[in-house]
Amino acid sequence: MIGKDSGVMKAWEATMRKTHAVAKKRANSIFGTISLAQVTEEEDNQDDCEEEDENENEVFEVYLEEKVLPNGDYYTGEWANNFPHGLGKYLWTDGCMYVGDWYKGKTKGKGRFSWPSGATYEGEFKGGYMCGTGTYTGCSGETYKGHWELNLKHGHGFKSYANGDWFDGEWKRGLQDGEGRYEWKDDSHYMGEWRNGSICGKGSFVWANGNKFEGFWEDGVPKGNGIFRWADGSSYEGNFSKDGKDPNGTYHPSESEEGEGHSNWDPQELYSELSGYLVCPGDKVQVMPSQKRLAVWRSTKTGESAKNRRMSVDGRVSIGLDRTADRLQTLDGGESDGSAKTPTMGSDLEEDLTALRVEDPAENLAQLQPLKAPKKSKRQGETICKGHKNYELMLNLQLGLRHSIARPAPTASLDLKPAAFDPKEKVWTRFPPEGSKYTPPHPSCDFKWKDYCPVVFRTLRKLFMVDPADYMLSLCGNDALRELSSPGKSGSFFYLTNDDKYMIKTMKKAEVKVLLRLLPSYYNHFRDYKNTLLTKYYGLHCVKLNGPIQKKVRFIIMGNLFSSEFITHRRYDLKGSSLGRTSDKPETEISETTILKDLDLNFIFQLEKSNFEEFCRQVDLDCEILEQEGVMDYSLLVGIYFKDISPDGEIIPIQSRTPAGDLENEGTPDTTSEAKDEPPSDPSRFCSVKLGVNMPARVERTVRRSGCELQLIGEPIGEFYNVSLTFGIIDILQDYDISKKLEHAYKSIQYDPTSISAVDPIQYSRRFRDFILRVFTENS
């Protein structure tokens, strides 16, 4: 958060006093100090469309109102406090219409939303989203009846398609996921497991003629063990794959079979029989109800500033026509063109539309400068030697770590008892300068050393296959630690080991509490998913100086993502938000250690198919656990190593290589002037690629439209580069606590709420996933 909590709270209260007569009650409601006092932990984990109800005891003067709004929108129904409140109908100028329940300007309750195309949704709304149970009828005749979350099918639902197919089963984020039955119009059907919209897992397919396949599936086709049964009772059992016939497959004739029967049947025929059975993609909705803007002006005593506040149906307020972000959202929301506007607003909108008339990026290709490798930077960090202000702290850290790592302990099983995760599971050790029975004498001051959950972190290091001797040598060897030149935005300090393998970060007490709370699920997640992208934590400790000061320093030891023999030419910290997400550095000042952000990104990353599928799966799994634990504000840290660099430092794009040939050559990094100073790499190391570690890939350069400063992803221009990518999810210890709620509320008044980083964990996870899976694509 920017500044102290108290300062933000005062600014928030001052602003709200100007815009609303009951600011304190609204603030208490937003931040949960009154209405959330009785909310249980289970309710806190529900969908973000179930926003905290504002003070239900607040009294409104509700009356009937009919309004033709300044931009041509029309509303009729119950009205209170300058917002739709109660039962009402809102008609947008583009033909979209909502009829139903409103609460303080939000669509909340039961209602019906209709599109100009003829499509309709009738059901429950929460916070402006289709959320709850409802029925969608598309313009082509397809229907879906079931559960929704955040405008997406999520939960159990029944969908009938325009071509006669239907699906009855579980959905997740808009796609079939879980158990379900899909039936084609010829009465053939599949019943079994689905994942991300494809048949995947165990299931059976039954043809209309009585033939049946039972077994395992992947990406919509059989893969693995299975049995194909004919209607006459004969069957074939084996291992199915599109690559070829299983030599160990067995044919079982039926009791009444005469002659050869189906003994000459080729299992590859199964794939040709299934080729005509595709899952219908269904209609796509161009604009969601939550994206529609309400042309409702808030009453206020601040005069002209109030006229520029517009509101979306999910209750968000934004500063109006004078801001680029709002111009973009108004157009996306389907507002009418200039001809439909009233004379008083026509000139303003004409100026806005003129500002958005930008040239095609392709027209500017000739003006693009070739990419240059960033300037070489000195080795990160300042060596902590005698006389440094943190020299004694470094000695204390290394003394404590030697003691913890070398302390004898029984061989720990990977199946840990719940007691090992108890936050009270700590080991205190005192280190007097003269030494003790358990500690050596040392030249530093008297201090105490604390290990948090030592058994858990020792087992994690075993899980990460870290050798204790190497671990101790990296952290506590003769080489000193290096302190990074400036602390992070959070105020934490970072230290690097001399071999760059490990990073030590000082922590706030609140971060320690978050880590200890999520430690059980974090541990189980790493056990279950070896390719997880989450930061690896190796130990959690505390140094407490004895004496009058009693200073405590808590710190975590974690892996350094960019510990590699390859140079990292570009580093990006990606969150999926736009407000403040730029480094504000010109190209000439960018070095190898500069951390760039979302609005600096000028590439789309392309991974080979199997790597991309695993990447998507793992991002989903990692975000799911962070969402469940109530964590937000994390990011994907991406490092790029360019393989082809000319002697003068220019990055060479792929030109004469064919896509196929290029993919074959991706396994081995090219030898360039940049790479000559590095130790030779073993080409065989790329045969088994680990997710997120020096992955061979390709990037396509992008260009943002001029005038669209907040365009998160630029337009691809067809210029490709061979690279190796390193990436991981970092900063996973931020709760959506009172300071973040204050930050969200304060910034929402000044900026578009969808552009800020501080949002609740469910919305953050969804936005993060959507963005990351747009900047990473499959290499076709």
Side-chain angles (χ1 to χ4, degrees):
M1 185 152 185
I2 302 173
K4 296 182 180 179
D5 292 350
S6 59
V8 175
M9 188 61 182
K10 289 177 182 177
W12 161 249
E13 289 178 347
T15 306
M16 290 306 290
R17 276 197 297 269
K18 295 177 183 178
T19 57
H20 203 283
V22 285
K24 276 193 176 181
K25 289 182 181 178
R26 285 178 60 84
N28 284 339
S29 175
I30 290 172
F31 308 131
T33 57
I34 292 178
S35 62
L36 298 185
Q38 297 176 350
V39 177
T40 62
E41 289 183 10
E42 290 76 18
E43 288 170 329
D44 287 336
N45 292 328
Q46 291 176 357
D47 9 89
D48 69 337
C49 58
E50 296 182 19
E51 298 174 351
E52 296 97 47
D53 288 339
E54 298 188 1
N55 196 336
E56 297 293 345
N57 297 324
E58 195 170 349
V59 178
F60 294 101
E61 182 185 349
V62 180
Y63 54 94
L64 294 177
E65 183 67 271
E66 185 173 1
K67 285 181 177 287
V68 177
L69 299 162
N71 69 335
D73 291 356
Y74 170 79
Y75 176 81
T76 180
E78 294 178 303
W79 190 269
N81 202 22
N82 282 299
F83 291 119
H85 185 79
L87 186 63
K89 175 170 75 173
Y90 194 104
L91 178 64
W92 285 268
T93 51
D94 66 351
C96 290
M97 183 173 68
Y98 172 79
V99 181
D101 296 327
W102 298 80
Y103 183 77
K104 291 186 180 180
K106 304 177 184 180
T107 54
K108 183 178 180 181
K110 292 187 177 180
R112 175 186 171 92
F113 190 96
S114 58
W115 286 263
S117 62
T120 62
Y121 168 83
E122 189 165 359
E124 294 177 322
F125 288 81
K126 292 176 185 176
Y129 293 91
M130 298 184 289
C131 203
T133 55
T135 301
Y136 172 83
T137 304
C139 56
S140 62
E142 73 170 35
T143 62
Y144 170 83
K145 185 175 183 179
H147 200 271
W148 299 76
E149 282 187 19
L150 299 172
N151 295 331
L152 298 174
K153 306 172 188 71
H154 194 92
H156 187 270
F158 177 88
K159 180 168 182 175
S160 62
Y161 297 85
N163 65 354
D165 297 353
W166 58 266
F167 174 82
D168 186 7
E170 298 299 315
W171 298 75
K172 190 173 183 181
R173 293 190 294 276
L175 298 171
Q176 297 97 328
D177 200 301
E179 292 286 335
R181 174 187 174 113
Y182 190 103
E183 185 164 314
W184 284 263
K185 58 184 176 182
D186 68 350
D187 294 334
S188 299
H189 68 270
Y190 168 84
M191 182 179 290
E193 296 176 349
W194 296 71
R195 185 177 299 164
N196 292 330
S198 294
I199 296 174
C200 190
K202 191 174 183 179
S204 61
F205 191 103
V206 180
W207 282 261
N209 62 8
N211 292 347
K212 182 178 182 180
F213 172 80
E214 294 177 282
F216 289 90
W217 300 69
E218 188 174 300
D219 291 334
V221 295
K223 186 172 183 180
N225 293 327
I227 302 175
F228 185 89
R229 304 181 190 276
W230 284 268
D232 62 6
S234 55
S235 63
Y236 173 89
E237 184 176 359
N239 194 297
F240 289 80
S241 172
K242 293 184 75 173
D243 299 334
K245 184 177 180 179
D246 179 12
N248 298 320
T250 307
Y251 173 72
H252 303 282
S254 65
E255 295 180 359
S256 59
E257 183 175 313
E258 297 179 1
E260 293 185 357
H262 303 286
S263 58
N264 294 326
W265 181 74
D266 185 353
Q268 294 302 305
E269 294 179 26
L270 172 61
Y271 296 93
S272 59
E273 289 182 33
L274 289 170
S275 61
Y277 294 93
L278 302 177
V279 176
C280 185
D283 290 345
K284 287 188 177 180
V285 180
Q286 297 302 318
V287 59
M288 293 296 182
S290 58
Q291 296 172 309
K292 299 300 295 178
R293 293 303 218 180
L294 300 189
V296 176
W297 311 120
R298 276 184 184 253
S299 64
T300 178
K301 296 178 182 178
T302 56
E304 227 17 71
S305 63
K307 292 183 179 179
N308 290 331
R309 295 191 183 168
R310 294 174 63 82
M311 188 169 180
S312 67
V313 293
D314 57 359
R316 301 169 183 157
V317 178
S318 57
I319 309 304
L321 301 173
D322 59 333
R323 299 215 329 264
T324 304
D326 290 315
R327 287 200 298 268
L328 291 173
Q329 287 164 350
T330 301
L331 290 177
D332 289 342
E335 299 275 347
S336 61
D337 57 23
S339 61
K341 300 296 182 289
T342 62
T344 57
M345 295 183 63
S347 58
D348 290 339
L349 285 172
E350 188 175 346
E351 291 176 8
D352 293 335
L353 292 173
T354 302
L356 290 174
R357 290 190 193 111
V358 292
E359 65 278 4
D360 191 316
E363 297 175 8
N364 292 330
L365 292 185
Q367 303 173 12
L368 282 179
Q369 297 296 321
L371 287 179
K372 292 271 189 179
K375 59 182 181 181
K376 292 203 172 201
S377 58
K378 296 179 181 178
R379 197 179 189 198
Q380 273 188 294
E382 176 189 358
T383 302
I384 303 176
C385 52
K386 199 165 187 178
H388 191 282
K389 62 179 180 179
N390 288 325
Y391 180 69
E392 277 201 351
L393 176 62
M394 183 193 74
L395 290 181
N396 297 344
L397 295 182
Q398 293 183 323
L399 282 166
L401 285 169
R402 282 194 194 100
H403 176 76
S404 297
I405 300 167
R407 185 169 54 230
T411 304
S413 165
L414 293 181
D415 297 317
L416 298 180
K417 296 179 180 179
F421 298 95
D422 190 336
K424 297 178 182 177
E425 186 70 15
K426 308 165 188 173
V427 177
W428 279 102
T429 307
R430 187 178 167 217
F431 282 78
E434 66 276 9
S436 69
K437 182 179 179 181
Y438 303 103
T439 62
H442 59 86
S444 185
C445 60
D446 188 7
F447 71 95
K448 282 186 177 180
W449 171 263
K450 178 168 32 172
D451 279 326
Y452 295 88
C453 300
V455 175
V456 177
F457 284 104
R458 190 182 302 118
T459 312
L460 276 172
R461 295 195 292 270
K462 179 181 177 182
L463 201 62
F464 300 152
M465 294 189 293
V466 174
D467 182 80
D470 292 340
Y471 183 64
M472 183 185 290
L473 192 62
S474 292
L475 292 164
C476 313
N478 294 327
D479 297 314
L481 301 176
R482 306 197 314 276
E483 181 182 74
L484 296 190
S485 56
S486 61
K489 185 178 177 182
S490 63
S492 300
F493 285 85
F494 292 85
Y495 304 92
L496 283 168
T497 57
N498 188 61
D499 58 8
D500 288 329
K501 283 186 180 180
Y502 302 102
M503 184 176 284
I504 300 172
K505 175 190 174 185
T506 61
M507 299 181 74
K508 297 176 182 176
K509 188 175 182 179
E511 291 178 307
V512 173
K513 287 183 177 180
V514 173
L515 178 55
L516 292 176
R517 188 194 74 215
L518 63 84
L519 196 55
S521 55
Y522 174 87
Y523 176 80
N524 291 326
H525 191 72
F526 269 94
R527 280 198 66 183
D528 295 339
Y529 307 107
K530 306 298 183 187
N531 285 334
T532 176
L533 300 175
L534 299 183
T535 306
K536 289 183 176 179
Y537 292 129
Y538 298 91
L540 180 61
H541 313 279
C542 176
V543 169
K544 181 181 178 182
L545 303 180
N546 291 330
I549 301 178
Q550 295 283 308
K551 181 183 177 183
K552 279 186 179 180
V553 181
R554 304 171 184 87
F555 62 93
I556 186 80
I557 300 172
M558 51 191 181
N560 179 15
L561 194 63
F562 298 132
S563 173
S564 168
E565 67 266 32
F566 294 119
I567 294 172
T568 304
H569 295 122
R570 284 279 197 280
R571 303 181 185 205
Y572 290 96
D573 182 274
L574 305 175
K575 291 187 177 182
S577 57
S578 58
L579 183 63
R581 300 296 296 161
T582 177
S583 64
D584 290 326
K585 279 196 175 184
E587 186 73 23
T588 54
E589 293 183 17
I590 295 175
S591 69
E592 293 165 351
T593 57
T594 301
I595 302 294
L596 303 171
K597 299 181 182 179
D598 301 67
L599 294 179
D600 303 313
L601 181 64
N602 56 345
F603 298 107
I604 289 177
F605 308 106
Q606 298 184 346
L607 302 178
E608 187 269 327
K609 182 180 179 181
S610 61
N611 292 338
F612 177 69
E613 290 172 351
E614 177 61 23
F615 173 77
C616 293
R617 173 178 171 271
Q618 198 58 57
V619 167
D620 273 343
L621 291 167
D622 291 344
C623 286
E624 192 172 339
I625 186 176
L626 295 176
E627 181 182 313
Q628 290 171 357
E629 293 296 331
V631 172
M632 43 78 69
D633 217 19
Y634 44 89
S635 55
L636 185 75
L637 189 60
V638 182
I640 307 177
Y641 163 74
F642 290 98
K643 296 181 180 180
D644 302 307
I645 300 178
S646 67
D648 61 354
E650 189 172 309
I651 301 172
I652 305 169
I654 302 168
Q655 293 175 343
S656 58
R657 307 177 189 179
T658 63
D662 195 51
L663 276 172
E664 291 170 4
N665 294 328
E666 278 185 346
T668 308
D670 297 323
T671 304
T672 67
S673 60
E674 290 283 345
K676 287 178 182 176
D677 296 332
E678 302 169 10
S681 58
D682 178 12
S684 64
R685 69 188 293 277
F686 285 92
C687 296
S688 57
V689 177
K690 179 171 173 56
L691 189 67
V693 180
N694 296 328
M695 293 186 69
R698 198 183 272 152
V699 295
E700 182 176 8
R701 193 176 179 184
T702 62
V703 176
R704 286 179 175 79
R705 294 179 179 273
S706 57
C708 292
E709 302 87 354
L710 299 181
Q711 184 183 3
L712 269 176
I713 302 175
E715 308 288 340
I717 61 173
E719 189 174 296
F720 297 89
Y721 299 86
N722 268 334
V723 299
S724 286
L725 296 179
T726 299
F727 47 81
I729 297 175
I730 62 170
D731 297 335
I732 61 172
L733 299 179
Q734 179 59 60
D735 252 339
Y736 191 51
D737 55 17
I738 184 64
S739 65
K740 287 296 178 182
K741 290 176 183 178
L742 279 165
E743 181 182 350
H744 174 81
Y746 178 63
K747 289 184 177 179
S748 294
I749 299 171
Q750 307 175 67
Y751 309 103
D752 176 12
T754 61
S755 70
I756 61 181
S757 294
V759 295
D760 71 85
I762 299 177
Q763 186 179 346
Y764 191 96
S765 169
R766 179 170 174 259
R767 182 180 66 185
F768 177 81
R769 267 187 279 213
D770 289 347
F771 174 69
I772 295 302
L773 297 183
R774 286 169 62 203
V775 296
F776 279 81
T777 63
E778 182 182 327
N779 191 336
S780 56

